[in-house]
Structures are given as structure tokens and as C-alpha cells.
Amino acid sequence: MSFLRRLAAIPSTRTPWTATRHSRHFTTSRLWTPKTLTKTVLFGGALIASPLLFSTVYAEDNKQPSDTDVLLDPETITDAATGIAFPKSIRITNKAHAPTMTLIGLGVRTVSFLGIKVYSVGFYADLNNPDLKLSESMSVDEKIENVVRSCACVVRLVPTRDTSFTHLRDAFVRAVGARMLLRRKSGELSEEDSIELATPMRKLKTLFPNSPLKKHVPLDIFLTPPTQGRPRALIFRDLGGIESDWMSVEFILHYFDGKNPPSPPLKKTVTETLGPLAK
């Protein structure tokens, strides 16, 4: 069954969104309430707070959303290759901006000729953003780039086995380095631009702790929407963030690299979703 059909097959009757009220003070600790399975991601103060962090708690039932919550839809779609479920949508509630980011595609990342499954990855975006323009004449790659450059997005990584943050860090640094080389060769990134990227690259290298990331524990990577007068930020849950228009956008785009994407099934399902879409 195609990804679009799997989305359409979900019943229209849905469980109400739930959230946990929280302090205005910023927290990066994880709070666990085992009585419920609905996850809520909390932001401190604003979508781009200082420091750039957000954390996950388990919500209590029958609570109203507070000013700065991210709520995960209880309806899910499962990656058939791994059995890992992804919420159909993620809603950010904030006084100034409250996008619902829809699951556009998902897939498994495999390595080596043995096809070892490393993680499942889901891609979400705010397709209701009025600044998003998609036409029938655009290629799928152009549509993906327009979505990433125009909208709030989330990449959710869920490891299929125990791994480490340092392992992910090394992969992320290699990915950004490859994007820099690609853009330099195409003339889209000047030497001066490359020098300016040294600071966010150092931040990326030092952001991750020397600690494990357990099997099936998601890592959410949030790309903030464009905001006039300030660079976009790439926020890694519980770890911190990087403010850099170039790095934030290119990091997300590397998941859809035309020649060798990290997860071909992810790009395939995103293509199925965006291919016929025009707005």
C-alpha cells in the first residue's frame, strides 16, 4: 500500500489532543508519567528561546494545551520495515505561531551490504503555511526544497538499536560537510560563506554528549519557520540548537539528496506525498 493510501486509511474519528501544563521556566529534564502514552514536547518561553532547547514529557489526560507545547497526534503510521510508529501529525502551540506539521513521509536507514537497519526516520512539515507555493510544473526535488525553505519542519529519528550521540554527531558533521562541498562546486557557496560557517560547524561538533541513545528513543530535530530579522534555527531535542540559515536548511535537505539519500524509502514516500500536491 502506498504512503498516501496509508494516510487516507486512518479513520477520521480521532482521540483529542492532550498536553501537560508547565512552568514558564525553561526545562531540559525528561519527566515520565507511565499512566499514558501520549507524548508532549515542551518549549521554553518561545519557539526560539535561549538556550535553544526543548524536552519531552508524557502528558496527563484531559489537560488543555499551554502557551508553548508541541503535541503529538495519537494516530500513528508504522514503518513496515521496523515496526516503529510515527504520529500522523505534530502540532506546535504558541502565542505567536501554531503550525500543525504533517507526516509527509517515513522510511528506514540501512547500512552495509547486509542491509542492517539503523533507524527509522519521519519527515514533518507545516503544509498549511501561506508562504508555501507548489505548482504542478515543479519537480519533486523543487517541491521538497520549497517546503524546507518556507516551512517549519521536523525530522524524527528513532534508532532500531542502541547507539550513541557521538555516532550521530559524526554522521551529521559528515552530512553537513558534504553539503558544503556540493554547494561550493556548484558555485552556490562562496569561500567567505564557508568561513562564516565555521562557528555553527563547531557548535554542531560540540552539541552532543558522550552518552548512549537507547533503542526506540526518538530524537526530534526541529527547523524553525522563517522569521524576519533573525536566522532560522536547528534545534535538537534536549541538547541545544544552532542559528544559521544555511546550515539549518541544508541539514534537512541532505535527507533528500538526489544521488544518495540516507533513507531512499523516506524520499520515496515524500515523493508520493508531494508529487501530486499543488497549492
Side-chain angles (χ1 to χ4, degrees), residues 37 43 94 117 147 156 181 240:
L37 296 179
F43 284 78
N94 182 271
K117 298 172 184 177
V147 168
R156 166 167 277 219
L181 182 61

Side-chain angles (χ1 to χ4, degrees), residues 208-261:
F208 300 89
N210 184 19
S211 60
L213 179 61
K214 293 296 184 179
K215 173 182 177 180
H216 292 173
V217 174
L219 173 63
D220 294 319
I221 306 166
F222 174 54
L223 173 62
T224 60
T227 304
Q228 187 174 5
R230 102 177 278 164
R232 297 180 77 178
L234 194 67
I235 306 175
F236 297 81
R237 188 193 70 204
D238 293 329
L239 301 176
I242 302 165
E243 285 191 331
S244 167
D245 282 325
W246 190 92
M247 182 176 289
S248 298
V249 169
E250 293 293 330
F251 179 90
I252 301 296
L253 286 176
H254 100 269
Y255 284 97
F256 307 102
D257 180 76
K259 295 181 179 179
N260 189 29

Side-chain angles (χ1 to χ4, degrees), residues 26 44 48-53 230:
F26 193 84
I48 309 177
S50 181
L52 296 171
L53 297 168
R230 102 177 278 164

Side-chain angles (χ1 to χ4, degrees), residues 173-189:
V173 170
R174 287 195 301 269
V176 173
R179 298 296 294 185
M180 291 177 66
L181 182 61
L182 178 68
R183 297 305 190 190
R184 285 291 301 273
K185 286 183 177 180
S186 67
E188 299 172 80
L189 186 69

Side-chain angles (χ1 to χ4, degrees), residues 129-251:
N129 188 325
D131 295 328
L132 177 61
K133 307 298 180 186
L134 302 176
S135 67
E136 294 180 355
S137 62
M138 287 181 175
S139 68
V140 171
D141 286 340
E142 289 173 332
K143 289 182 178 182
I144 291 173
E145 184 156 350
N146 257 25
V147 168
V148 174
R149 293 192 182 279
S150 304
C151 306
C153 303
V154 165
V155 169
R156 166 167 277 219
L157 300 179
V158 186
T160 61
R161 59 187 64 211
D162 290 351
T163 184
S164 68
F165 283 107
T166 53
H167 179 79
L168 287 176
R169 176 204 63 198
D170 294 343
F172 293 158
V173 170
R174 287 195 301 269
V176 173
R179 298 296 294 185
M180 291 177 66
L181 182 61
L182 178 68
R183 297 305 190 190
R184 285 291 301 273
K185 286 183 177 180
S186 67
E188 299 172 80
L189 186 69
S190 67
E191 184 175 353
E192 292 77 13
D193 294 332
S194 298
I195 294 172
E196 291 181 2
L197 287 170
T199 297
M201 182 63 89
R202 282 195 299 270
K203 176 69 173 176
L204 180 64
K205 292 178 179 178
T206 58
L207 197 63
F208 300 89
N210 184 19
S211 60
L213 179 61
K214 293 296 184 179
K215 173 182 177 180
H216 292 173
V217 174
L219 173 63
D220 294 319
I221 306 166
F222 174 54
L223 173 62
T224 60
T227 304
Q228 187 174 5
R230 102 177 278 164
R232 297 180 77 178
L234 194 67
I235 306 175
F236 297 81
R237 188 193 70 204
D238 293 329
L239 301 176
I242 302 165
E243 285 191 331
S244 167
D245 282 325
W246 190 92
M247 182 176 289
S248 298
V249 169
E250 293 293 330
F251 179 90

